[in-house]
Amino acid sequence: IDMEEQNKVTINSKEYDFLELEDNEQYFVNQLRDLKSRIVQAKFNLDQLVMAENAFTSALITSVESEKETDEG
């Protein structure tokens, strides 16, 4: 399902005019548009969380290795 243009919906390679769809079909399209937007936002948030996790992991490794060198030195 492709919903690039606001008033056009492509389903299985066939284009439909959004305003000519039944009310329940318009509702489904609106749900799908919202879900696609939320999925993009969730991926964006996940990328931030993964980067933050990597930064904290790196900081922990650096700290532990620094303590180890101090103890050995």
Side-chain angles (χ1 to χ4, degrees):
I1 297 176
D2 183 18
M3 298 169 284
E4 286 184 19
E5 293 183 39
Q6 189 68 17
N7 292 326
K8 299 292 180 190
V9 179
T10 304
I11 303 170
N12 295 332
S13 302
K14 185 173 179 186
E15 192 171 90
Y16 298 88
D17 185 333
F18 177 80
L19 297 176
E20 292 179 5
L21 296 174
E22 300 291 329
D23 287 346
N24 67 321
E25 295 166 341
Q26 289 182 7
Y27 175 77
F28 296 149
V29 169
N30 287 330
Q31 285 287 351
L32 288 166
R33 285 178 174 157
D34 181 61
L35 288 167
K36 286 179 181 282
S37 174
R38 291 170 58 188
I39 288 168
V40 167
Q41 185 63 44
K43 288 179 180 178
F44 182 81
N45 291 340
L46 179 60
D47 288 343
Q48 289 179 333
L49 292 170
V50 168
M51 291 298 290
E53 179 188 33
N54 290 341
F56 281 113
T57 299
S58 178
L60 175 62
I61 290 168
T62 300
S63 179
V64 167
E65 289 177 350
S66 174
E67 287 178 16
K68 192 186 246 185
E69 289 175 8
T70 303
D71 291 344
E72 291 174 356

